[in-house]
């Protein structure tokens, strides 16, 4: 069953490549270039997923599983991850799909990201994670929409029906998407198409993942950890690990077809050092925060998980800090 | 040879995101009105983002020329 992850990964990878979907760019471009195109995509896909997740959960096809709130981990890890993605030249999904496009810097970023994530989860840095995990906050749910013992959400904190909060939350994001001015961009796949495809694909992928014994939707960090664990310790690769393999294959196929596959190498070899440091910060940050821009921002925020919203705010703050340091001062 | 009287040319192939955009912006800031900048890139996202960014800054995008496998040259006339 874990192998089905590869199929969802291929679709995900194609959309990521076609839509040039990178959350590092989404966060950074708003601040650096006053360009909100990808941020609007992010708002739209979260708005739509909030509704599709609730719908699938209402029908009993999936059980939402918000990540625990962890003030310490979400803030510190989120900020470190945010710094790292700018150095690495891409977020977790960005470096993964660009690996398939032939960007050699993304290979190094992804490898060091996966390796450090694994070390934080189960290796040299595990004592740090054990300490961070003490601050995990979970709540008991009586509604069948959420897993009984999972992280707090906007509806649980406000003591309101998830649908009421979800519709308001989604409406607010839709207002931002359509009610304010959007930066022009002529992309191979428009942001509306990409957002609609992903908002439908994501809950279906969740069903497939849950059937393999992993009750969560799209994620990247756990997938890289699983691949390294399989490679280094002989463990069997989980759904999320196969998802990564699929994303790389999907992005590669998509790039090949559109004449965008190329082994890209920077002239200044120092860039490799920069992206490796970025990858290390991303791996440490993501595991400390309990997820990356996909697990938290893309999949967690639509569940209205407080921990995911908090981590995402610090992804953005970390991203802005490093983008300003590297590119913003002229 | 070349289609345009290029004043300055930058080669940002292989650079990580968003270095092509940042370098292109830094280059036009140092140029005079009427001069033409050539940006040689191989990164698909910047191919879409640089022209819109330049237009927003008031410059004119003359052409996005495909010059090879996943390689493009963007010609920008500084205003």
């Amino acid at each position: 069953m874990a192998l089905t992850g590869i199929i969802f990964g291929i679709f995900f990878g194609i959309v990521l490549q076609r839509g040039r979907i990178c959350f590092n760019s989404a966060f950074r471009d708003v601040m650096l270039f006053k360009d909100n195109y990808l941020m609007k995509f992010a708002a739209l896909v979260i708005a739509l997923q909030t509704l599709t997740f609730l719908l699938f959960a209402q029908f009993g096809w999936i059980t939402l599983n918000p990540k625990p709130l962890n003030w310490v981990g979400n803030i510190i890890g989120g900020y470190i991850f945010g710094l790292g993605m700018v150095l690495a030249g891409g977020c977790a999904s960005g470096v993964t799909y660009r690996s398939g496009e032939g960007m050699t810097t993304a290979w190094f970023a992804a490898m060091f990201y996966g390796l450090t994530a694994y070390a934080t989860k189960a290796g040299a840095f595990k004592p740090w994670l054990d300490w961070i995990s003490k601050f995990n906050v979970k709540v008991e749910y009586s509604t069948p929409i959420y897993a009984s013992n999972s992280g707090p959400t906007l509806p649980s904190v406000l003591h309101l029906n998830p649908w009421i909060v979800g519709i308001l939350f989604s409406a607010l994001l839709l207002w931002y998407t359509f009610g304010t001015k959007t930066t022009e961009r002529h992309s191979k796949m428009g942001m509306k198409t990409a957002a609609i495809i992903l908002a439908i694909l994501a809950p279906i992928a969740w069903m497939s993942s849950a059937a393999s014994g992993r009750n969560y939707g799209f994620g990247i960090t756990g997938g890289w950890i699983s691949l390294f664990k399989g490679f280094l310790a002989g463990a069997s690769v989980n759904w999320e690990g196969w998802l990564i393999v699929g994303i790389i294959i999907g992005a590669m196929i998509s790039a090949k077809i559109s004449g965008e596959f190329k082994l890209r190498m920077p002239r200044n070899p120092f860039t490799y050092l920069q992206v490796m440091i970025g990858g290390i910060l991303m791996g440490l940050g993501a595991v400390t925060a309990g997820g990356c821009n996909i697990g938290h921002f893309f999949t967690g925020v639509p569940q209205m998980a407080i921990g995911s919203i908090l981590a995402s705010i610090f992804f953005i703050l970390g991203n802005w800090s490093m983008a300003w340091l590297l590119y913003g001062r002229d | 040879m070349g289609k345009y009287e290029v004043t300055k040319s930058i080669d940002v192939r292989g650079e990580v995101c968003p270095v092509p955009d940042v370098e292109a912006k830094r280059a036009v800031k140092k140029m005079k009105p009427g001069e033409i900048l050539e940006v040689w890139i191989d990164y698909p996202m910047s191919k879409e983002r640089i022209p819109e960014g330049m237009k927003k800054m008031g410059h004119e995008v003359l052409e996005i020329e495909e010059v090879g496998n996943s390689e493009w040259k963007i010609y920008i006339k500084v205003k």
Side-chain angles (χ1 to χ4, degrees), chain A residues 297-319:
Chain A
F297 187 63
F298 182 85
T299 308
V301 177
Q303 298 175 69
M304 297 176 276
I306 306 288
S308 293
I309 295 170
L310 183 64
S312 300
I313 290 170
F314 280 85
F315 292 163
I316 295 173
L317 292 177
N319 172 291

Side-chain angles (χ1 to χ4, degrees), chain A residues 17 20 22 24-25 28-29 32-35 38 86 88-89 97-98 101 103 105 183-188 259-262 264-268 271 274-275 326-328 330, chain B residues 10-23 25-27 29 40-53 55-57 64 66 68-72:
Chain A
Q17 200 276 335
R20 325 266 186 241
C22 175
N24 177 41
S25 296
R28 182 201 60 217
D29 291 354
L32 202 59
F33 304 137
K34 308 278 173 271
D35 178 328
L38 278 174
V86 180
Y97 95 72
R98 283 185 208 128
E101 275 186 336
M103 196 157 209
T105 49
T183 313
E184 289 271 332
R185 192 177 298 181
H186 301 284
S187 210
K188 289 231 167 168
E260 291 170 351
F261 182 87
K262 188 195 160 206
R264 299 173 172 85
M265 289 168 217
R267 269 165 307 152
N268 183 357
T271 308
Q274 177 193 317
V275 299
L326 285 187
Y327 309 115
D330 50 10
Chain B
I10 56 169
D11 178 359
V12 284
R13 289 174 300 162
E15 298 297 341
V16 298
C17 188
V19 172
D21 305 65
V22 173
E23 290 297 325
K25 267 188 149 178
R26 282 178 182 163
K29 272 186 187 164
W40 195 356
I41 59 164
D42 65 0
Y43 177 56
M45 176 137 63
S46 291
K47 179 198 65 173
E48 293 164 4
R49 192 170 47 199
I50 290 176
E52 293 304 329
K55 280 184 215 164
K56 221 164 63 176
M57 287 167 77
I64 305 165
E66 192 164 352
N69 172 40
S70 193
E71 287 191 17
W72 303 272

Side-chain angles (χ1 to χ4, degrees), chain A residues 63-104:
Chain A
T63 307
L64 298 182
N65 192 10
K67 288 174 187 277
L69 168 67
N70 187 316
W71 288 100
V72 182
N74 293 151
I75 290 174
I76 298 176
Y79 193 75
I80 294 173
F81 184 81
L83 297 173
M85 65 165 102
V86 180
L87 288 171
C91 60
S93 52
V95 297
T96 305
Y97 95 72
R98 283 185 208 128
S99 294
E101 275 186 336
M103 196 157 209
T104 59

